mmCIF file of all heavy atoms in Angstrom:
data_model
loop_
_atom_site.group_PDB
_atom_site.id
_atom_site.type_symbol
_atom_site.label_atom_id
_atom_site.label_comp_id
_atom_site.label_asym_id
_atom_site.label_seq_id
_atom_site.Cartn_x
_atom_site.Cartn_y
_atom_site.Cartn_z
ATOM 1 N N ARG A 69 9.658 23.908 -4.953
ATOM 2 C CA ARG A 69 10.853 23.437 -5.667
ATOM 3 C C ARG A 69 11.259 22.053 -5.188
ATOM 4 O O ARG A 69 11.519 21.153 -5.998
ATOM 5 C CB ARG A 69 12.006 24.412 -5.467
ATOM 6 C CG ARG A 69 13.277 24.005 -6.222
ATOM 7 C CD ARG A 69 14.429 24.927 -5.868
ATOM 8 N NE ARG A 69 14.815 24.777 -4.469
ATOM 9 C CZ ARG A 69 15.622 23.825 -4.025
ATOM 10 N NH1 ARG A 69 16.118 22.923 -4.858
ATOM 11 N NH2 ARG A 69 15.928 23.746 -2.749
ATOM 12 N N SER A 70 11.293 21.873 -3.891
ATOM 13 C CA SER A 70 11.691 20.567 -3.355
ATOM 14 C C SER A 70 10.647 19.492 -3.665
ATOM 15 O O SER A 70 10.984 18.316 -3.835
ATOM 16 C CB SER A 70 11.941 20.656 -1.853
ATOM 17 O OG SER A 70 10.787 21.083 -1.162
ATOM 18 N N ALA A 71 9.370 19.877 -3.749
ATOM 19 C CA ALA A 71 8.331 18.912 -4.107
ATOM 20 C C ALA A 71 8.495 18.453 -5.556
ATOM 21 O O ALA A 71 8.331 17.265 -5.866
ATOM 22 C CB ALA A 71 6.947 19.521 -3.907
ATOM 23 N N LEU A 72 8.823 19.383 -6.436
ATOM 24 C CA LEU A 72 9.067 19.014 -7.838
ATOM 25 C C LEU A 72 10.285 18.109 -7.955
ATOM 26 O O LEU A 72 10.269 17.117 -8.696
ATOM 27 C CB LEU A 72 9.263 20.278 -8.682
ATOM 28 C CG LEU A 72 8.066 21.231 -8.764
ATOM 29 C CD1 LEU A 72 8.436 22.467 -9.579
ATOM 30 C CD2 LEU A 72 6.864 20.543 -9.380
ATOM 31 N N VAL A 73 11.336 18.456 -7.216
ATOM 32 C CA VAL A 73 12.549 17.625 -7.222
ATOM 33 C C VAL A 73 12.232 16.233 -6.680
ATOM 34 O O VAL A 73 12.701 15.220 -7.212
ATOM 35 C CB VAL A 73 13.664 18.291 -6.391
ATOM 36 C CG1 VAL A 73 14.839 17.335 -6.193
ATOM 37 C CG2 VAL A 73 14.136 19.569 -7.072
ATOM 38 N N ALA A 74 11.426 16.173 -5.627
ATOM 39 C CA ALA A 74 11.081 14.888 -5.022
ATOM 40 C C ALA A 74 10.292 14.013 -5.995
ATOM 41 O O ALA A 74 10.551 12.810 -6.127
ATOM 42 C CB ALA A 74 10.281 15.106 -3.742
ATOM 43 N N GLY A 75 9.310 14.611 -6.683
ATOM 44 C CA GLY A 75 8.513 13.838 -7.630
ATOM 45 C C GLY A 75 9.342 13.296 -8.781
ATOM 46 O O GLY A 75 9.280 12.107 -9.111
ATOM 47 N N VAL A 76 10.139 14.175 -9.380
ATOM 48 C CA VAL A 76 10.977 13.750 -10.510
ATOM 49 C C VAL A 76 12.037 12.759 -10.046
ATOM 50 O O VAL A 76 12.267 11.718 -10.684
ATOM 51 C CB VAL A 76 11.635 14.971 -11.176
ATOM 52 C CG1 VAL A 76 12.672 14.524 -12.209
ATOM 53 C CG2 VAL A 76 10.591 15.849 -11.829
ATOM 54 N N GLY A 77 12.697 13.073 -8.934
ATOM 55 C CA GLY A 77 13.770 12.210 -8.453
ATOM 56 C C GLY A 77 13.289 10.818 -8.096
ATOM 57 O O GLY A 77 13.941 9.820 -8.427
ATOM 58 N N THR A 78 12.139 10.735 -7.435
ATOM 59 C CA THR A 78 11.612 9.430 -7.040
ATOM 60 C C THR A 78 11.336 8.555 -8.255
ATOM 61 O O THR A 78 11.771 7.394 -8.327
ATOM 62 C CB THR A 78 10.332 9.595 -6.215
ATOM 63 O OG1 THR A 78 10.612 10.358 -5.035
ATOM 64 C CG2 THR A 78 9.759 8.254 -5.814
ATOM 65 N N LEU A 79 10.611 9.089 -9.226
ATOM 66 C CA LEU A 79 10.242 8.288 -10.391
ATOM 67 C C LEU A 79 11.437 7.994 -11.292
ATOM 68 O O LEU A 79 11.581 6.880 -11.815
ATOM 69 C CB LEU A 79 9.146 8.998 -11.181
ATOM 70 C CG LEU A 79 7.802 9.167 -10.466
ATOM 71 C CD1 LEU A 79 6.798 9.872 -11.366
ATOM 72 C CD2 LEU A 79 7.252 7.823 -10.023
ATOM 73 N N ALA A 80 12.288 9.003 -11.506
ATOM 74 C CA ALA A 80 13.434 8.799 -12.391
ATOM 75 C C ALA A 80 14.412 7.777 -11.809
ATOM 76 O O ALA A 80 14.919 6.901 -12.529
ATOM 77 C CB ALA A 80 14.142 10.127 -12.648
ATOM 78 N N LEU A 81 14.679 7.872 -10.518
ATOM 79 C CA LEU A 81 15.596 6.919 -9.896
ATOM 80 C C LEU A 81 15.002 5.512 -9.869
ATOM 81 O O LEU A 81 15.723 4.517 -10.033
ATOM 82 C CB LEU A 81 15.951 7.367 -8.482
ATOM 83 C CG LEU A 81 17.005 8.465 -8.395
ATOM 84 C CD1 LEU A 81 17.120 8.978 -6.972
ATOM 85 C CD2 LEU A 81 18.354 7.950 -8.883
ATOM 86 N N ALA A 82 13.698 5.407 -9.662
ATOM 87 C CA ALA A 82 13.056 4.097 -9.707
ATOM 88 C C ALA A 82 13.213 3.481 -11.098
ATOM 89 O O ALA A 82 13.526 2.290 -11.237
ATOM 90 C CB ALA A 82 11.583 4.216 -9.340
ATOM 91 N N THR A 83 13.005 4.290 -12.128
ATOM 92 C CA THR A 83 13.134 3.805 -13.501
ATOM 93 C C THR A 83 14.559 3.384 -13.820
ATOM 94 O O THR A 83 14.800 2.307 -14.375
ATOM 95 C CB THR A 83 12.687 4.899 -14.488
ATOM 96 O OG1 THR A 83 11.334 5.264 -14.209
ATOM 97 C CG2 THR A 83 12.793 4.406 -15.924
ATOM 98 N N LEU A 84 15.521 4.236 -13.472
ATOM 99 C CA LEU A 84 16.923 3.929 -13.762
ATOM 100 C C LEU A 84 17.397 2.703 -12.983
ATOM 101 O O LEU A 84 18.146 1.871 -13.506
ATOM 102 C CB LEU A 84 17.795 5.139 -13.437
ATOM 103 C CG LEU A 84 17.606 6.353 -14.344
ATOM 104 C CD1 LEU A 84 18.406 7.535 -13.821
ATOM 105 C CD2 LEU A 84 18.026 6.023 -15.773
ATOM 106 N N THR A 85 16.954 2.586 -11.725
ATOM 107 C CA THR A 85 17.336 1.415 -10.931
ATOM 108 C C THR A 85 16.743 0.147 -11.526
ATOM 109 O O THR A 85 17.438 -0.872 -11.677
ATOM 110 C CB THR A 85 16.849 1.580 -9.476
ATOM 111 O OG1 THR A 85 17.441 2.748 -8.901
ATOM 112 C CG2 THR A 85 17.233 0.362 -8.640
ATOM 113 N N TYR A 86 15.483 0.194 -11.873
ATOM 114 C CA TYR A 86 14.801 -0.980 -12.414
ATOM 115 C C TYR A 86 15.452 -1.453 -13.715
ATOM 116 O O TYR A 86 15.816 -2.636 -13.853
ATOM 117 C CB TYR A 86 13.331 -0.636 -12.647
ATOM 118 C CG TYR A 86 12.531 -1.716 -13.320
ATOM 119 C CD1 TYR A 86 12.242 -2.901 -12.658
ATOM 120 C CD2 TYR A 86 12.068 -1.556 -14.617
ATOM 121 C CE1 TYR A 86 11.493 -3.901 -13.268
ATOM 122 C CE2 TYR A 86 11.332 -2.543 -15.240
ATOM 123 C CZ TYR A 86 11.047 -3.713 -14.572
ATOM 124 O OH TYR A 86 10.321 -4.696 -15.181
ATOM 125 N N TYR A 87 15.624 -0.545 -14.674
ATOM 126 C CA TYR A 87 16.194 -0.946 -15.959
ATOM 127 C C TYR A 87 17.693 -1.194 -15.866
ATOM 128 O O TYR A 87 18.242 -1.993 -16.642
ATOM 129 C CB TYR A 87 15.865 0.099 -17.029
ATOM 130 C CG TYR A 87 14.442 -0.003 -17.507
ATOM 131 C CD1 TYR A 87 13.479 0.915 -17.097
ATOM 132 C CD2 TYR A 87 14.057 -1.039 -18.342
ATOM 133 C CE1 TYR A 87 12.163 0.805 -17.514
ATOM 134 C CE2 TYR A 87 12.730 -1.156 -18.771
ATOM 135 C CZ TYR A 87 11.803 -0.231 -18.352
ATOM 136 O OH TYR A 87 10.488 -0.356 -18.764
ATOM 137 N N GLY A 88 18.355 -0.541 -14.931
ATOM 138 C CA GLY A 88 19.764 -0.845 -14.715
ATOM 139 C C GLY A 88 19.957 -2.270 -14.219
ATOM 140 O O GLY A 88 20.879 -2.976 -14.655
ATOM 141 N N LEU A 89 19.071 -2.703 -13.323
ATOM 142 C CA LEU A 89 19.135 -4.083 -12.843
ATOM 143 C C LEU A 89 18.787 -5.075 -13.938
ATOM 144 O O LEU A 89 19.382 -6.164 -14.022
ATOM 145 C CB LEU A 89 18.195 -4.255 -11.646
ATOM 146 C CG LEU A 89 18.635 -3.566 -10.351
ATOM 147 C CD1 LEU A 89 17.520 -3.633 -9.312
ATOM 148 C CD2 LEU A 89 19.902 -4.208 -9.807
ATOM 149 N N ILE A 90 17.823 -4.719 -14.780
ATOM 150 C CA ILE A 90 17.475 -5.602 -15.895
ATOM 151 C C ILE A 90 18.674 -5.772 -16.828
ATOM 152 O O ILE A 90 18.997 -6.884 -17.266
ATOM 153 C CB ILE A 90 16.266 -5.040 -16.676
ATOM 154 C CG1 ILE A 90 14.992 -5.169 -15.843
ATOM 155 C CG2 ILE A 90 16.109 -5.762 -18.013
ATOM 156 C CD1 ILE A 90 13.767 -4.584 -16.507
ATOM 157 N N ALA A 91 19.356 -4.663 -17.135
ATOM 158 C CA ALA A 91 20.483 -4.717 -18.057
ATOM 159 C C ALA A 91 21.664 -5.487 -17.487
ATOM 160 O O ALA A 91 22.391 -6.166 -18.210
ATOM 161 C CB ALA A 91 20.915 -3.295 -18.427
ATOM 162 N N SER A 92 21.857 -5.399 -16.175
ATOM 163 C CA SER A 92 23.053 -6.003 -15.578
ATOM 164 C C SER A 92 22.797 -7.362 -14.941
ATOM 165 O O SER A 92 23.692 -8.205 -14.898
ATOM 166 C CB SER A 92 23.638 -5.069 -14.516
ATOM 167 O OG SER A 92 22.683 -4.799 -13.503
ATOM 168 N N LEU A 93 21.575 -7.599 -14.456
ATOM 169 C CA LEU A 93 21.308 -8.832 -13.718
ATOM 170 C C LEU A 93 20.090 -9.586 -14.222
ATOM 171 O O LEU A 93 19.544 -10.429 -13.507
ATOM 172 C CB LEU A 93 21.095 -8.516 -12.228
ATOM 173 C CG LEU A 93 22.264 -7.860 -11.494
ATOM 174 C CD1 LEU A 93 21.849 -7.499 -10.077
ATOM 175 C CD2 LEU A 93 23.471 -8.787 -11.468
ATOM 176 N N GLY A 94 19.649 -9.265 -15.438
ATOM 177 C CA GLY A 94 18.467 -9.920 -15.981
ATOM 178 C C GLY A 94 18.671 -11.408 -16.172
ATOM 179 O O GLY A 94 19.777 -11.928 -16.104
ATOM 180 N N ARG A 95 17.587 -12.107 -16.456
ATOM 181 C CA ARG A 95 17.641 -13.562 -16.567
ATOM 182 C C ARG A 95 18.655 -14.033 -17.611
ATOM 183 O O ARG A 95 19.346 -15.023 -17.436
ATOM 184 C CB ARG A 95 16.248 -14.088 -16.931
ATOM 185 C CG ARG A 95 15.242 -14.024 -15.789
ATOM 186 C CD ARG A 95 13.981 -14.787 -16.165
ATOM 187 N NE ARG A 95 12.985 -14.731 -15.118
ATOM 188 C CZ ARG A 95 12.029 -13.815 -15.057
ATOM 189 N NH1 ARG A 95 11.973 -12.876 -15.968
ATOM 190 N NH2 ARG A 95 11.137 -13.829 -14.089
ATOM 191 N N GLN A 96 18.734 -13.315 -18.731
ATOM 192 C CA GLN A 96 19.636 -13.750 -19.790
ATOM 193 C C GLN A 96 21.085 -13.697 -19.327
ATOM 194 O O GLN A 96 21.891 -14.560 -19.651
ATOM 195 C CB GLN A 96 19.441 -12.856 -21.017
ATOM 196 C CG GLN A 96 18.048 -13.010 -21.624
ATOM 197 C CD GLN A 96 17.668 -11.814 -22.456
ATOM 198 O OE1 GLN A 96 18.276 -10.752 -22.344
ATOM 199 N NE2 GLN A 96 16.680 -11.977 -23.300
ATOM 200 N N TRP A 97 21.435 -12.673 -18.534
ATOM 201 C CA TRP A 97 22.797 -12.563 -18.043
ATOM 202 C C TRP A 97 23.040 -13.560 -16.902
ATOM 203 O O TRP A 97 24.093 -14.160 -16.808
ATOM 204 C CB TRP A 97 23.054 -11.141 -17.569
ATOM 205 C CG TRP A 97 23.267 -10.191 -18.714
ATOM 206 C CD1 TRP A 97 24.455 -9.765 -19.211
ATOM 207 C CD2 TRP A 97 22.263 -9.562 -19.499
ATOM 208 N NE1 TRP A 97 24.247 -8.909 -20.266
ATOM 209 C CE2 TRP A 97 22.921 -8.750 -20.463
ATOM 210 C CE3 TRP A 97 20.863 -9.594 -19.498
ATOM 211 C CZ2 TRP A 97 22.239 -7.985 -21.404
ATOM 212 C CZ3 TRP A 97 20.191 -8.828 -20.443
ATOM 213 C CH2 TRP A 97 20.867 -8.048 -21.373
ATOM 214 N N LEU A 98 22.041 -13.725 -16.052
ATOM 215 C CA LEU A 98 22.200 -14.657 -14.934
ATOM 216 C C LEU A 98 22.339 -16.095 -15.427
ATOM 217 O O LEU A 98 23.056 -16.899 -14.845
ATOM 218 C CB LEU A 98 20.981 -14.552 -13.997
ATOM 219 C CG LEU A 98 20.905 -13.268 -13.160
ATOM 220 C CD1 LEU A 98 19.594 -13.247 -12.382
ATOM 221 C CD2 LEU A 98 22.075 -13.174 -12.189
ATOM 222 N N SER A 99 21.666 -16.416 -16.503
ATOM 223 C CA SER A 99 21.723 -17.784 -17.009
ATOM 224 C C SER A 99 22.995 -18.048 -17.795
ATOM 225 O O SER A 99 23.283 -19.185 -18.146
ATOM 226 C CB SER A 99 20.508 -18.052 -17.910
ATOM 227 O OG SER A 99 20.548 -17.203 -19.047
ATOM 228 N N GLY A 100 23.741 -17.012 -18.096
ATOM 229 C CA GLY A 100 24.985 -17.172 -18.828
ATOM 230 C C GLY A 100 24.811 -17.193 -20.329
ATOM 231 O O GLY A 100 25.785 -17.298 -21.074
ATOM 232 N N SER A 101 23.569 -17.097 -20.816
ATOM 233 C CA SER A 101 23.335 -17.093 -22.248
ATOM 234 C C SER A 101 23.421 -15.685 -22.791
ATOM 235 O O SER A 101 23.227 -14.713 -22.076
ATOM 236 C CB SER A 101 21.957 -17.680 -22.560
ATOM 237 O OG SER A 101 20.946 -16.907 -21.926
ATOM 238 N N ALA A 102 23.708 -15.587 -24.071
ATOM 239 C CA ALA A 102 23.847 -14.266 -24.688
ATOM 240 C C ALA A 102 22.477 -13.658 -24.908
ATOM 241 O O ALA A 102 21.512 -14.365 -25.213
ATOM 242 C CB ALA A 102 24.577 -14.386 -26.027
ATOM 243 N N PRO A 103 22.348 -12.328 -24.761
ATOM 244 C CA PRO A 103 21.060 -11.686 -25.009
ATOM 245 C C PRO A 103 20.735 -11.693 -26.490
ATOM 246 O O PRO A 103 21.621 -11.823 -27.324
ATOM 247 C CB PRO A 103 21.288 -10.258 -24.494
ATOM 248 C CG PRO A 103 22.760 -10.040 -24.668
ATOM 249 C CD PRO A 103 23.385 -11.377 -24.376
ATOM 250 N N PRO A 104 19.473 -11.596 -26.852
ATOM 251 C CA PRO A 104 19.121 -11.514 -28.262
ATOM 252 C C PRO A 104 19.729 -10.262 -28.869
ATOM 253 O O PRO A 104 20.107 -9.334 -28.148
ATOM 254 C CB PRO A 104 17.585 -11.448 -28.239
ATOM 255 C CG PRO A 104 17.242 -10.960 -26.869
ATOM 256 C CD PRO A 104 18.300 -11.497 -25.973
ATOM 257 N N PRO A 105 19.849 -10.204 -30.211
ATOM 258 C CA PRO A 105 20.542 -9.082 -30.858
ATOM 259 C C PRO A 105 20.035 -7.720 -30.420
ATOM 260 O O PRO A 105 20.815 -6.790 -30.268
ATOM 261 C CB PRO A 105 20.264 -9.342 -32.350
ATOM 262 C CG PRO A 105 20.058 -10.817 -32.447
ATOM 263 C CD PRO A 105 19.394 -11.213 -31.159
ATOM 264 N N ASP A 106 18.728 -7.590 -30.228
ATOM 265 C CA ASP A 106 18.183 -6.282 -29.855
ATOM 266 C C ASP A 106 17.764 -6.244 -28.392
ATOM 267 O O ASP A 106 17.033 -5.361 -27.977
ATOM 268 C CB ASP A 106 16.991 -5.938 -30.754
ATOM 269 C CG ASP A 106 16.609 -4.459 -30.664
ATOM 270 O OD1 ASP A 106 17.521 -3.611 -30.655
ATOM 271 O OD2 ASP A 106 15.401 -4.183 -30.586
ATOM 272 N N GLY A 107 18.216 -7.219 -27.592
ATOM 273 C CA GLY A 107 17.785 -7.273 -26.202
ATOM 274 C C GLY A 107 18.151 -6.034 -25.424
ATOM 275 O O GLY A 107 17.303 -5.393 -24.799
#
Side-chain angles (χ1 to χ4, degrees):
R69 182 186 66 83
S70 60
L72 297 177
V73 170
V76 171
T78 300
L79 295 181
L81 281 171
T83 302
L84 292 173
T85 300
Y86 175 69
Y87 283 104
L89 289 171
I90 289 177
S92 59
L93 299 175
R95 287 190 181 92
Q96 295 158 343
W97 283 262
L98 288 175
S99 63
S101 60
D106 195 43

